């Protein structure tokens, strides 16, 4: 039932009650509103509440109504299958109502109305709401300052929303909007600038007079409108035109707007000091406006670099920014944010790839100038402008200013360091480089040095030399010379990758850096911290003869009295330990004091980031040094304490889980000594019902996998963890790969005990996975099923019947002809079923004859015209070429067993079975031998019988003990052929005769093709001489122990079997003969020695 005007009082009451602090009042109101959301007229009622003049003072209720309105737009404005959505009639009413209520006095509600219009415009413009912008433009013609401000608020929100649409048609629509609105908005913006500047001038002259405050409110509203208009102009230029880096088309609006924006910033700047301590509201506006103007210029430069690179734009802007950065008078102006934006602009220009001169040659084109040539010409032109702006003298000056002025620690920096050294240390990590002045100056310096390293390398070295000469290591007072030395050290640390060509680290370390650490005065912490930072940055330049001294220095810094120094040392030490050239031998005797210092530092620090950093160092040490076991007990105690103190701090616990994983790897098969702490932590991490499960599960699963991989034996606590796996898999398959590895580890470690406890859980997990994951997921879980069947062929198949039925469906389903992943899945699934037939024949026969399987096949749309087992036989024959050597042998053994079935269809496939098994025997022995040699455990055992096997070694042992590996396919075929002959009698003889005739016919065709009477064939190590006599084949000589001469066979049946074995040994030739038939050049493709025998 639709809501109407009569429901407004009830709607107002529900909205008011939904904000009540009394839960018994709030919850029923929220539930009633939720039920009403989908009813027709709900949004209309909300709009009436928002626009009602009687409720002007009830701002909170109106705001709540606007929030529900916004949520309803997101959910119901666009019709969906499960919801009819808002009717077209109501949409028209709401759009008209919103545009009729533009002069909203409350700022928050006006902002929400702008958001509502922008959300609707995203869905409806331009098809359903084509007149949106024309109506707004018309309203602007007669609007007062307040109404125009609200309209510009709507325009900004709507343009921002539409600019995020990425379809070509949507971008074309936005370009049309830009062309329509730009001139009007730009003209109004320029007019407002003049109005604001005139007002500011009047204010500055009239301070102290009685009527000074008279027009301030209207002027401030104009300022706010101007600011919105600036955002709109930015949006139109950035999103309304394709980047000229892609089109090489000049954007004339960029050339028109950019100089004016810069002039506006220059005009506003003087009022920053005028309004300071006089008019905070306008002082904040001037500050905000100047920063925003520079941000808009930087955004335009980034979007349209070539248009911005015009000689009327780029030189003016960059010259202004450079003058502001280097002007000594500006240093006293406390306007840090503006300097940051000037540096951002210069940095953006310096690293702009479009401003780099092209080094490629000219591409000639008869049809005119190519796109690449136009781009090259534009880049070269702008590159020349940049070069003229930055002569060598100016580059050197900028470098000196950055290091000597902006790198130097201020009094406020030192006070912050003194009050909270941890926070000071993490400052540069926690903030963006563009948020504070010194990090921004450092970022600009690095880009500048990268562009002009040959010029600036000697300059930076000279600054460093000057600073070291003016401040020897004995200086303890915080003087300008000491602070300059700190700045110079920072400058050398940041550009180590280029400065190493001008500065020899060994000489610098021995002659200066190591001496800095000899003075332990508290004020020397400034230099000590920078030395620690340098040792970390220059790690790649430290040679073997200096490593030991550097390690000792870092350990000394790790024991400093200042936390900021200790944390800097811990970070640098981590970089050294992780370095590919880390010298453990040089570090070995420092390990005890390093561990102890880390444990102490964790106790001293209070901030979360500090604890994570130190824990990361400990984790890296565990992962990179070999001597961990002597310190195992102390590390266990440390992990226990940190875990207890880290409750609720997931990121710290994640770092601890990583460290524990490294610890388990380092302990190897002595890892059970840490189970007392590890297993309780593990159980909490893998419990998806714990509060921190979302954050800890991934790393806990990795720790679980590692623990099992290095476990020397199964322990009860590890067995009790497995039920958590069911809940994890039931929730999602996000961690499937690790889960599969964990299951495999349980089976390999102690499969019998594991299945006794968790057989039902294993069956449930496999049933959840198979049939519900993609091919990649199936390929990960099928080896686990295979190893389960291999180890427990009698016990496991009945437990996983449902899973095996799904594998049958996978095998018998089509769709894998052109999909390698599906082919691999079908092959692996077929190999599992073949293994079951080999190792538990009765069960597979029972499985394939169950009515439930037939029903499932029917539901899956799989049509079976024959017995399921016969259909599987076709799959085994078809997929043998896609199988691994072990899978091929499994297929061969399964096919040999098929010969023993009392089914006439078997004889129809006899020649295929013989051919396939022959191929497996002749082509598979070598592959299996290679697998056996790769899995040989002799080398591992020769190192000592006491060594416990790794997970991979256990897998190799299981593979070698595999019954399929040990069985002889040749013997199986011989025996099963005899059985097949007994079962089928004359029908078997006829099938053999037909097979022999087919082979002899093929060989006869080969003889005709080759033009010879006799072939000497080398096939897989078998050499047999065959003579053709009118299509009959006689064995003259055999060098294989499998074959016997016909004339010594005692009976006719045996002769026929001998002929079958003859086919068996020669059927592999069928593939070669087919190949010859399809070849156009027989001589080049068939390389067999062929002596002629008459």
């Amino acid at each position: 039932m639709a809501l109407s005007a009569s429901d407004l009082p009830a709607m107002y009451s529900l909205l008011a009650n939904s904000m009540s602090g009394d839960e018994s009042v709030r919850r029923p109101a929220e539930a009633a509103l939720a039920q009403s959301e989908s009813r027709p007229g709900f949004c209309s009622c909300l709009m009436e509440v928002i626009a009602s003049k009687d409720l002007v003072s009830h701002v909170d209720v109106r705001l709540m109504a606007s929030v529900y309105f916004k949520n309803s737009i997101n959910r119901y404005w666009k019709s969906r299958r499960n919801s009819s959505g808002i009717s077209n009639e109501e949409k028209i009413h709401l759009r008209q109502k919103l545009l009729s209520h533009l002069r909203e006095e409350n700022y928050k509600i006006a902002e929400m109305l702008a958001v509502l219009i922008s959300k609707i415009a995203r869905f409806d413009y331009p098809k359903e709401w084509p007149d949106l912008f024309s109506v707004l433009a018309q309203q602007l013609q007669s609007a007062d300052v307040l109404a125009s401000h609200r309209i510009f608020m709507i325009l900004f929100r709507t343009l921002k929303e539409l600019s995020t649409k990425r379809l070509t048609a949507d971008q074309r629509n936005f370009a049309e909007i830009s062309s329509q609105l730009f001139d009007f908005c730009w003209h109004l913006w320029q007019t407002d600038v003049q109005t604001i500047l005139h007002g500011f001038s009047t204010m500055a002259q009239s301070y102290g007079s009685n009527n000074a405050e008279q027009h301030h409110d209207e002027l401030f509203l104009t300022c706010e409108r101007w600011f919105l208009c600036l955002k709109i102009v930015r949006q139109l230029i950035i999103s309304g035109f394709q980047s000229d880096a892609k089109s090489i088309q000049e954007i004339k609006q960029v050339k028109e707007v950019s100089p004016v924006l810069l002039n506006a910033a220059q005009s506003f700047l003087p009022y920053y000091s005028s309004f300071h301590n006089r008019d905070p509201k306008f002082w904040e506006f001037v500050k905000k406006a100047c920063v925003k103007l520079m941000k808009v210029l930087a955004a335009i430069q980034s979007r349209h670099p070539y248009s911005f690179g015009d000689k009327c734009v780029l030189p003016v802007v960059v010259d202004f920014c450079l003058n502001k950065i280097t002007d000594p008078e500006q240093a006293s102006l406390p306007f840090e944010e503006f300097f940051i934006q000037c540096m951002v602009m210069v940095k953006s220009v310096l690293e702009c790839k479009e401003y780099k001169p092209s080094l490629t040659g000219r591409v000639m084109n008869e049809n005119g100038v190519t796109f690449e040539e136009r781009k090259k010409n534009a880049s070269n032109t702008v590159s020349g402008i940049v070069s003229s702006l930055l002569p060598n003298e100016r580059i050197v000056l900028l470098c000196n200013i950055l290091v000597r002025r902006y790198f130097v620690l201020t009094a406020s920096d030192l006070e912050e360091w003194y009050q909270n050294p941890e926070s000071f240390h993490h400052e540069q990590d926690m903030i963006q480089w563009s948020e504070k002045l010194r990090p921004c100056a450092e970022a600009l310096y690095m880009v500048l040095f990268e562009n002009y390293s040959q010029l600036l390398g000697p300059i930076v070295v000279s600054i460093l030399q000057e600073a070291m000469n003016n401040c020897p290591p004995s200086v303890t007072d915080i003087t300008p010379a000491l602070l300059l030395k700190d700045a110079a050290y920072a400058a050398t640390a940041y550009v180590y990758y280029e400065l190493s060509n001008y500065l020899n680290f060994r000489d610098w370390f021995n002659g200066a850096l190591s001496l800095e650490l000899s003075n332990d005065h508290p004020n020397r912490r400034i230099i000590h911290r920078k030395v620690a930072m340098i040792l970390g940055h220059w790690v790649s330049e430290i040679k073997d003869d200096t490593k030991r001294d550097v390690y000792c220095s870092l350990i000394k810094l790790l024991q400093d009295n200042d936390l900021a120094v200790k944390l800097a040392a811990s970070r640098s030490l981590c970089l050294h330990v992780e370095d590919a050239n880390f010298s453990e031998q040089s570090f070995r005797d420092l390990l005890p004091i390093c561990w102890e210092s880390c444990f102490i530092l964790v106790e001293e620090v209070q901030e979360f980031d500090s604890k994570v950093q130190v824990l990361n160092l400990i984790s890296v040490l565990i992962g990179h040094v070999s001597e961990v076991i002597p310190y195992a007990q102390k590390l266990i105690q440390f992990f226990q304490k940190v875990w207890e103190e880290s409750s609720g701090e997931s990121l710290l616990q994640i770092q601890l889980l990583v460290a524990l994983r490294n610890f388990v790897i380092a302990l190897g098969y002595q890892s059970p000594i840490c189970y007392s702490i590890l297993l309780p932590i593990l159980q909490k991490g893998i419990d998806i019902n714990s509060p921190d499960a979302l954050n800890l599960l991934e790393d806990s699963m990795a720790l679980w996998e590692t623990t099992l991989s290095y476990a020397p034996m199964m322990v009860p606590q590890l067995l009790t963890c497995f039920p958590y796996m069911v809940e994890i898999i039931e929730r999602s398959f996000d961690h499937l790969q690790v889960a599969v590895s964990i299951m495999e580890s349980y089976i390999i470690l102690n499969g019998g005990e594991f299945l006794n406890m968790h057989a039902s859980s294993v069956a449930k997990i496999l049933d959840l996975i198979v049939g519900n994951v993609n091919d990649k997921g199936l390929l990960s879980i099928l080896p686990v099923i295979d190893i389960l069947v291999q180890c427990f062929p009698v016990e496991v198949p009945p437990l996983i019947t449902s899973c095996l039925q799904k594998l049958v469906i996978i095998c018998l389903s089509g769709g894998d002809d052109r999909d390698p992943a599906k082919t691999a899945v079908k092959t692996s699934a077929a190999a599992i079923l073949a293994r079951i037939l080999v190792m538990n024949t009765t069960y597979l026969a029972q499985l394939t004859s169950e009515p439930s399987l037939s029903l499932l096949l029917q539901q899956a749309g799989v049509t079976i015209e024959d017995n399921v087992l016969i259909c599987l036989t076709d799959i085994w024959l078809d997929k043998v070429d896609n199988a691994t050597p072990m899978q091929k042998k499994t297929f061969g053994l399964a096919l040999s067993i098929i010969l023993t079935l009392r089914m006439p269809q078997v004889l129809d496939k006899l020649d295929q079975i013989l051919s396939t098994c022959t191929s497996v025997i002749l082509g598979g022995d070598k592959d299996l031998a290679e697998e056996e040699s790769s899995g040989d455990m002799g080398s591992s055992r020769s190192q000592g019988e006491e060594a416990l096997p790794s997970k991979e070694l256990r897998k190799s042992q299981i593979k070698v003990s595999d019954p399929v590996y040990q069985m002889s396919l040749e013997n199986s075929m011989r025996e099963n052929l005899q059985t097949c002959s007994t079962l089928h009698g004359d029908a078997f003889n006829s099938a053999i005769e037909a097979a022999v005739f087919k082979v002899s016919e093929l060989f006869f065709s080969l003889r005709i093709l080759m033009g010879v009477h006799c072939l000497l064939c080398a096939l897989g190590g078998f050499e047999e001489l065959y003579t053709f006599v009118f299509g009959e084949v006689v064995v003259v000589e055999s060098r294989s122990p499998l074959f016997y001469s016909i004339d010594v066979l005692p009976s006719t049946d045996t002769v026929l079997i001998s002929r079958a074995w003859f086919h068996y040994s020669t059927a592999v030739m069928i593939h070669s003969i087919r190949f010859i038939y399809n070849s156009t050049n027989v001589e080049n493709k068939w390389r067999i020695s062929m002596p002629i025998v008459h």
Side-chain angles (χ1 to χ4, degrees):
M1 182 177 176
L3 296 171
S4 62
S6 60
D7 296 302
L8 283 175
M11 181 65 65
Y12 172 81
S13 299
L14 289 174
L15 291 168
N17 291 340
S18 68
M19 296 180 291
S20 173
D22 187 349
E23 189 173 345
S24 61
V25 175
R26 185 179 71 253
R27 285 192 178 278
E30 289 175 345
L33 287 168
Q35 291 178 352
S36 302
E37 277 185 343
S38 57
R39 294 175 62 184
F42 179 70
C43 289
S44 298
C45 284
L46 294 174
M47 188 65 226
E48 293 300 325
V49 172
I50 296 169
S52 175
K53 294 181 179 180
D54 298 333
L55 300 176
V56 170
S57 60
H58 300 269
V59 176
D60 51 351
V61 176
R62 297 170 68 207
L63 273 175
M64 183 59 69
S66 64
V67 170
Y68 272 95
F69 194 173
K70 178 174 72 71
N71 293 338
S72 294
I73 291 172
N74 292 334
R75 293 170 187 161
Y76 303 109
W77 197 270
K78 189 174 182 180
S79 298
R80 292 179 172 85
R81 291 181 179 179
N82 57 351
S83 172
S84 58
I86 301 171
S87 67
N88 289 330
E89 293 76 13
E90 187 175 1
K91 287 180 181 179
I92 294 170
H93 167 73
L94 290 170
R95 289 194 293 259
Q96 292 174 347
K97 189 73 174 178
L98 283 167
L99 291 181
S100 67
H101 190 71
L102 296 177
R103 204 178 184 284
E104 171 59 52
E105 295 187 359
N106 185 277
Y107 182 85
K108 290 184 178 180
I109 293 177
E111 194 169 36
M112 283 301 299
L113 287 171
V115 171
L116 293 173
I117 293 173
S118 69
K119 295 289 184 184
I120 295 173
R122 184 177 184 89
F123 291 120
D124 289 359
Y125 182 85
K127 292 183 178 180
E128 305 297 331
W129 206 358
D131 60 342
L132 169 61
F133 291 104
S134 59
V135 170
L136 291 174
Q138 185 179 359
Q139 295 274 9
L140 274 173
Q141 303 299 327
S142 59
D144 57 11
V145 176
L146 176 63
S148 63
H149 177 272
R150 300 312 191 228
I151 292 172
F152 272 103
M153 186 182 290
I154 293 168
L155 279 172
F156 168 65
R157 289 285 178 183
T158 305
L159 290 171
K160 186 176 181 181
E161 186 73 37
L162 293 178
S163 69
T164 61
K165 300 180 77 173
R166 287 291 173 261
L167 294 178
T168 304
D170 295 324
Q171 293 183 342
R172 195 183 304 117
N173 289 333
F174 196 88
E176 292 177 5
I177 296 169
S178 299
S179 62
Q180 295 169 9
L181 291 180
F182 178 81
D183 289 337
F184 175 80
C185 294
W186 178 236
H187 175 73
L188 181 62
W189 184 90
Q190 290 176 294
T191 303
D192 280 350
V193 167
Q194 299 304 319
T195 303
I196 293 167
L197 289 174
H198 177 73
F200 283 178
S201 176
T202 304
M203 286 174 59
Q205 295 172 6
S206 62
Y207 272 123
S209 62
N210 294 332
N211 60 350
E213 304 290 331
Q214 184 175 357
H215 301 292
H216 284 192
D217 290 342
E218 186 174 340
L219 179 61
F220 188 75
L221 201 57
T222 303
C223 291
E224 289 292 315
R225 183 181 67 185
W226 171 88
F227 198 80
L228 281 171
C229 198
L230 175 62
K231 290 182 176 181
I232 291 171
V233 169
R234 175 197 178 278
Q235 200 72 55
L236 294 175
I237 294 177
I238 298 299
S239 302
F241 303 93
Q242 184 184 20
S243 171
D244 63 7
K246 297 178 179 179
S247 64
I248 318 296
Q249 296 290 329
E250 183 182 83
I251 311 298
K252 64 181 182 63
Q253 287 82 355
V254 173
K255 296 171 63 176
E256 179 184 356
V257 167
S258 300
V260 181
L261 296 180
L262 182 64
N263 288 335
Q266 291 174 308
S267 301
F268 280 139
L269 272 176
Y271 293 103
Y272 178 81
S273 55
S274 299
F275 292 155
H276 191 52
N277 297 327
R278 289 186 174 183
D279 199 320
K281 183 168 66 173
F282 284 100
W283 178 74
E284 282 292 338
F285 167 76
V286 170
K287 182 178 178 181
K288 181 175 71 171
C290 291
V291 171
K292 187 65 178 178
L293 286 164
M294 295 307 297
K295 284 185 175 180
V296 172
L297 284 170
I300 293 174
Q301 186 277 329
S302 178
R303 175 69 173 175
H304 304 296
Y306 291 124
S307 300
F308 194 89
D310 186 82
K311 61 183 179 181
C312 299
V313 180
L314 184 65
V316 182
V317 175
V318 173
D319 194 61
F320 169 80
C321 293
L322 288 172
N323 288 337
K324 288 298 177 185
I325 295 169
T326 57
D327 189 350
E329 294 182 3
Q330 300 295 331
S332 59
L333 191 63
F335 196 0
E336 188 172 289
E337 294 88 345
F338 188 76
F339 287 127
I340 289 173
Q341 294 310 315
C342 290
M343 291 181 183
V344 168
M345 173 59 75
V346 176
K347 177 177 177 291
S348 179
V349 169
L350 287 174
E351 61 186 0
C352 180
K353 65 183 181 195
E354 285 79 17
Y355 295 170
K356 307 294 182 185
S358 176
L359 301 178
T360 59
R362 182 179 179 183
V363 179
M364 302 302 293
N365 188 343
E366 296 178 358
N367 299 322
V369 181
T370 65
F371 175 83
E372 289 300 325
E373 191 170 11
R374 288 166 53 210
K375 191 171 183 178
K376 173 187 173 182
N377 294 337
S379 295
N380 290 338
T381 301
V382 184
S383 175
I385 295 174
V386 174
S387 298
S388 66
L389 284 170
L390 290 168
N392 289 351
E393 298 79 10
R394 198 170 198 179
I395 295 169
V396 172
L397 173 63
L398 179 59
C399 178
N400 271 285
I401 292 294
L402 290 173
V403 175
R404 297 174 184 271
R405 181 188 302 172
Y406 296 103
F407 281 23
V408 174
L409 295 174
T410 64
S412 61
D413 292 329
L414 295 174
E415 179 63 23
E416 181 185 350
W417 187 345
Y418 178 78
Q419 294 295 336
N420 193 340
E422 290 183 66
S423 177
F424 179 81
H425 167 75
H426 293 296
E427 178 187 39
Q428 293 190 31
D429 297 331
M430 293 166 60
I431 64 171
Q432 292 286 335
W433 62 269
S434 58
E435 291 180 4
K436 279 209 167 184
L437 186 58
R438 189 172 63 254
C440 189
E442 292 166 352
L444 173 57
Y445 163 78
M446 285 186 275
V447 173
L448 185 71
F449 195 96
E450 183 179 349
N451 284 8
Y452 305 100
S453 58
Q454 293 184 354
L455 173 64
L456 295 180
I459 301 300
V460 174
V461 172
S462 67
I463 296 173
L464 174 66
Q465 194 63 50
E466 175 192 340
M468 291 192 298
N469 292 338
N470 294 337
C471 182
S474 58
V475 173
T476 57
D477 294 333
I478 302 178
T479 61
L482 185 139
L483 294 177
L484 178 60
K485 188 176 188 178
D486 173 75
Y489 277 176
T492 55
Y494 296 140
V495 292
Y496 65 92
Y497 48 88
E498 292 283 358
L499 206 58
S500 58
N501 297 326
Y502 304 93
L503 186 62
N504 183 281
F505 179 82
R506 181 178 59 184
D507 296 341
W508 183 29
F509 177 78
N510 293 330
L513 296 180
S514 60
L515 301 178
E516 301 285 6
L517 306 183
S518 61
N519 189 339
D520 293 330
H521 191 277
N523 287 342
R524 296 294 298 182
R525 73 186 191 277
I526 298 173
I527 302 299
H528 288 178
R529 178 173 172 270
K530 279 293 159 52
V531 170
M533 189 174 71
I534 289 169
L535 297 181
H537 279 78
W538 282 70
V539 60
S540 61
E541 305 300 324
I542 299 174
K543 308 302 181 185
D544 291 341
D545 57 353
T546 318
K547 285 185 184 293
R548 168 72 183 179
D549 294 333
V550 170
Y551 296 159
C552 292
S553 298
L554 287 171
I555 295 297
K556 179 178 175 63
L557 290 166
L558 198 60
Q559 298 172 285
D560 198 275
N561 294 322
D562 186 87
L563 279 179
V565 176
K566 289 184 175 183
L567 289 169
S570 72
R571 176 174 296 164
S572 295
L573 188 58
C574 189
L575 293 173
H576 277 268
V577 176
E578 287 182 312
D579 183 51
N581 297 317
F582 172 62
S583 174
E584 185 180 351
Q585 184 177 359
S586 301
F587 194 78
R588 184 172 289 116
D589 63 320
L590 300 174
L591 261 177
I593 192 169
C594 182
W595 288 124
E596 194 63 35
S597 299
C598 289
F599 297 155
I600 293 171
L601 184 55
V602 169
E603 295 288 336
E604 291 179 335
V605 296
Q606 300 297 321
E607 293 194 7
F608 168 80
D609 292 314
S610 303
K611 291 181 182 293
V612 170
Q613 182 180 317
V614 181
L615 192 55
N616 181 56
L617 172 59
I618 292 172
S619 178
V620 168
L621 280 169
I622 292 172
H624 287 80
V625 300
S626 56
E627 293 190 6
V628 174
I629 294 176
Y631 314 101
Q633 289 303 320
K634 287 189 176 181
L635 285 166
I636 290 171
Q637 294 172 7
F638 165 75
F639 288 139
Q640 180 72 51
K641 190 173 189 304
V642 173
W643 180 262
E644 291 171 355
E645 294 175 352
S646 65
S647 178
E649 295 181 344
S650 298
L651 292 177
L652 184 59
Q653 291 181 333
I654 288 171
Q655 195 66 53
L656 182 62
L657 290 169
V658 173
L660 275 171
R661 184 170 177 267
N662 288 339
F663 188 43
V664 171
I665 294 171
L667 292 176
Y669 296 106
Q670 297 189 46
S671 57
I673 65 176
C674 71
Y675 280 3
S676 59
I677 171 184
L678 184 147
L679 294 179
I681 292 175
L682 180 61
Q683 287 185 351
K684 181 178 180 181
I686 60 178
D687 182 3
I688 62 172
N689 298 313
S690 67
D692 298 321
L694 184 64
N695 299 317
L696 301 183
L697 184 58
E698 181 177 355
D699 293 281
S700 298
M701 293 279 285
L703 176 59
W704 192 2
E705 179 188 23
T706 302
T707 302
L708 286 167
S709 295
Y710 287 91
M713 63 185 69
M714 185 63 72
V715 296
Q717 297 94 320
L718 281 172
L719 283 172
T720 57
C721 290
F722 189 76
Y724 292 109
M725 183 68 74
V726 180
E727 297 180 349
I728 293 169
I729 296 298
E730 282 181 330
R731 173 170 288 190
S732 75
F733 298 124
D734 292 342
H735 309 286
L736 180 61
Q737 297 293 333
V738 182
V740 166
S741 179
I742 290 170
M743 288 180 64
E744 185 181 63
S745 297
Y746 272 109
I747 297 164
I748 292 171
L749 190 58
N750 193 336
E753 188 177 0
F754 168 62
L755 278 182
N756 286 338
M757 286 188 65
H758 302 299
S760 60
S761 297
V762 170
K764 186 174 183 180
I765 290 172
L766 295 178
D767 196 45
L768 283 169
I769 296 173
V770 177
N772 295 308
V773 298
N774 59 18
D775 295 332
K776 183 180 178 182
L778 282 172
L779 288 173
S780 68
I781 195 63
L782 290 178
V784 174
I785 301 174
D786 187 64
I787 200 170
L788 268 171
V789 174
Q790 175 190 332
C791 296
F792 308 98
V794 177
E795 299 87 348
V796 165
L799 288 172
I800 59 171
T801 296
S802 175
C803 175
L804 295 176
Q805 288 178 333
K806 293 178 182 179
L807 294 188
V808 173
I809 294 172
I810 290 172
C811 288
L812 300 184
S813 301
D816 68 318
D817 295 340
R818 297 183 179 180
D819 191 336
K822 291 190 181 301
T823 299
V825 169
K826 187 174 287 191
T827 303
S828 298
I832 292 171
L833 296 172
R835 177 182 288 280
I836 296 174
L837 180 63
V838 174
M839 303 178 71
N840 193 346
T841 308
T842 304
Y843 173 78
L844 189 69
Q846 178 185 345
L847 174 72
T848 54
S849 60
E850 285 184 357
S852 59
L853 177 60
S854 300
L855 179 61
L856 290 172
L857 287 167
Q858 184 178 357
Q859 291 172 349
V862 179
T863 303
I864 300 296
E865 298 178 355
D866 215 332
N867 182 282
V868 172
L869 203 51
I870 295 298
C871 293
L872 287 176
T873 303
D874 291 332
I875 298 297
W876 296 330
L877 291 168
D878 180 53
K879 299 303 176 189
V880 68
D881 291 333
N882 304 110
T884 64
M886 184 61 75
Q887 288 175 340
K888 287 181 179 179
K889 187 173 181 182
T890 308
F891 286 154
L893 290 168
L895 291 171
S896 74
I897 292 174
I898 292 294
L899 294 174
T900 65
L901 301 180
R902 291 180 178 273
M903 295 182 184
Q905 301 96 318
V906 172
L907 298 180
D908 297 334
K909 304 180 185 302
L910 183 58
D911 59 336
Q912 292 177 276
I913 293 174
L914 291 171
S915 175
T916 299
C917 292
T918 303
S919 299
V920 172
I921 290 176
L922 299 182
D925 286 349
K926 183 179 179 182
D927 293 333
L928 285 172
E930 289 176 357
E931 281 195 348
E932 182 179 359
S933 63
S934 66
D936 186 17
M937 297 161 289
S939 59
S940 299
R941 289 173 179 170
S942 64
Q943 296 174 5
E945 290 295 330
E946 296 181 2
L948 291 167
S950 66
K951 177 181 176 180
E952 293 304 316
L953 212 50
R954 289 193 186 105
K955 287 176 70 174
S956 298
Q957 290 174 333
I958 291 174
K959 183 183 293 185
V960 171
S961 63
D962 184 358
V964 170
Y965 183 85
Q966 295 175 344
M967 292 172 69
S968 169
L969 176 55
E970 299 159 6
N971 294 337
S972 177
M973 281 297 297
R974 182 184 295 112
E975 294 168 3
N976 291 335
L977 274 171
Q978 291 280 6
T979 304
C980 187
S981 173
T982 303
L983 290 173
H984 298 281
D986 292 338
F988 173 78
N989 297 338
S990 299
I992 287 293
E993 288 286 359
V996 171
F997 178 76
K998 185 183 294 185
V999 175
S1000 60
E1001 187 179 49
L1002 289 169
F1003 268 90
F1004 188 73
S1005 301
L1006 176 62
R1007 179 179 66 81
I1008 294 172
L1009 284 170
M1010 302 304 296
V1012 298
H1013 301 284
C1014 180
L1015 302 176
L1016 177 64
C1017 306
L1019 299 172
F1022 296 95
E1023 294 182 5
E1024 293 153 6
L1025 188 64
Y1026 306 110
T1027 302
F1028 288 77
V1029 183
F1030 300 108
E1032 291 189 11
V1033 183
V1034 179
V1035 178
V1036 177
E1037 179 185 353
S1038 174
R1039 299 180 187 179
S1040 170
L1042 297 179
F1043 300 95
Y1044 306 91
S1045 177
I1046 289 179
D1047 57 355
V1048 300
L1049 297 173
S1051 68
T1052 305
D1053 290 341
T1054 316
V1055 171
L1056 288 174
I1057 292 176
S1058 176
R1059 290 183 180 179
W1061 273 101
F1062 168 72
H1063 179 181
Y1064 173 47
S1065 66
T1066 61
V1068 72
M1069 290 294 292
I1070 294 172
H1071 301 292
S1072 300
I1073 294 168
R1074 288 175 181 164
F1075 177 77
I1076 291 172
Y1077 274 125
N1078 295 324
S1079 299
T1080 56
N1081 189 341
V1082 175
E1083 293 182 0
N1084 291 335
K1085 297 188 177 181
W1086 186 254
R1087 305 186 182 278
I1088 297 179
S1089 176
M1090 297 171 292
I1092 299 177
V1093 178
H1094 296 284

